[in-house]
Amino acid sequence: MRCTLCNSETILYSEIQNKKYCKCTTCDGILLHTSHFLSAVAEKERYELHQNDVTDSGYQNFVYPIIEQVQNDYSSNHKGLDFGSGSNSVITYLLNNSKYHISTYDPFFDINDDVLKKKYDYIVCCEVMEHFYSPSKEFKLLHSILLPNGALYCKTNLYDSSIDFKTWWYKNDTTHVFFYSSKTLHWIKEKFQFKSLEITDNFIVLRKE
């Protein structure tokens, strides 16, 4: 199969429990073979199992790096978008409590295409990019709706060579289809012409010119 991010050739990387994973020879992404992708109905059913309690302290602490970075970089006068907000977003909840103006979009629970026709100072994308069936299309969109000097804040578990992929828990979620390394993120920065890339643990900031 071709890489869904950069359209380069991939090689078979691993086969686990009858699922094939391919690795891109160019951007270093690891992809679940498209033959194992869930249908839209099955994917939504999986998401509906999530328990998203916005008042849960553990959930709030998990997203705190994003909240802190947004508040360091922008004021409540700036406009944000929570892309892939799910059925109940703790990020939107916490930022709204701080009087920030943030819109939401989710392809299953908050389908509002009008918000994708506007421009934003910042976009948050928390535990979302690993679900992208078409990451090239999604990153192109996200870059296009950022204002100049805008920031894209992402959170996902990054893969590196120190991780045993066969036992890596993060791949076991049936809705996780694309896994990124540091090299993959640098490819995204260059391809979509972001000004800078910052990686701290599993928190990623891509800034636009």
Side-chain angles (χ1 to χ4, degrees):
M1 63 179 286
R2 308 294 291 187
C3 177
T4 53
L5 175 61
C6 71
N7 200 39
S8 299
E9 291 183 358
T10 65
I11 58 172
L12 181 63
Y13 184 64
S14 188
E15 190 164 359
I16 306 164
Q17 296 180 343
N18 296 319
K19 285 187 177 181
K20 293 181 179 179
Y21 296 86
C22 301
K23 189 169 186 177
C24 181
T25 57
T26 298
C27 74
D28 202 47
I30 296 177
L31 305 76
L32 177 67
H33 195 280
T34 55
S35 62
H36 306 302
F37 283 9
L38 298 179
S39 67
V41 171
E43 190 178 3
K44 184 178 182 182
E45 288 175 350
R46 176 70 179 84
Y47 296 143
E48 287 173 337
L49 298 176
H50 292 179
Q51 300 297 316
N52 297 331
D53 181 0
V54 296
T55 63
D56 180 80
S57 60
Y59 194 13
Q60 292 183 359
N61 289 336
F62 179 75
V63 304
Y64 180 72
I66 293 179
I67 301 297
E68 182 179 45
Q69 192 69 59
V70 168
Q71 293 179 333
N72 284 343
D73 292 344
Y74 298 99
S75 74
S76 58
N77 294 322
H78 292 99
K79 293 182 179 180
L81 172 66
D82 188 344
F83 185 83
S85 53
S87 58
N88 201 15
S89 170
V90 68
I91 291 174
T92 296
Y93 172 79
L94 293 173
L95 287 174
N96 281 342
N97 284 350
S98 297
K99 310 302 181 185
Y100 276 69
H101 301 285
I102 184 163
S103 301
T104 56
Y105 175 81
D106 189 273
F108 293 100
F109 301 102
D110 191 5
I111 306 171
N112 181 2
D113 291 337
D114 287 342
V115 303
L116 302 182
K117 299 173 184 176
K118 300 176 182 178
K119 302 274 188 176
Y120 301 92
D121 297 291
Y122 61 92
I123 300 172
V124 298
C125 193
C126 182
E127 289 291 315
V128 171
M129 57 197 283
E130 65 275 7
H131 301 273
F132 287 165
Y133 282 15
S134 302
S136 178
K137 181 186 75 173
E138 304 293 5
F139 281 106
K140 182 178 180 180
L141 168 67
L142 292 168
H143 184 273
S144 72
I145 60 177
L146 268 179
L147 288 165
N149 299 310
L152 172 61
Y153 304 110
C154 299
K155 205 170 190 305
T156 191
N157 277 53
L158 297 177
Y159 181 75
D160 63 53
S161 59
S162 70
I163 296 171
D164 180 0
F165 188 77
K166 288 190 175 182
T167 60
W168 192 34
W169 65 274
Y170 200 63
K171 74 173 188 323
N172 297 336
D173 188 318
T174 55
T175 62
H176 289 185
V177 300
F178 199 104
F179 307 99
Y180 305 77
S181 68
S182 174
K183 181 178 177 180
T184 317
L185 297 176
H186 282 280
W187 188 92
I188 290 170
K189 171 188 174 290
E190 295 301 321
K191 172 63 177 180
F192 298 99
Q193 299 182 321
F194 285 95
K195 176 175 63 176
S196 64
L197 166 66
E198 304 157 31
I199 307 171
T200 306
D201 295 326
N202 293 317
F203 179 45
I204 302 142
V205 183
L206 286 156
R207 299 188 188 275
K208 188 173 179 178
E209 291 281 1

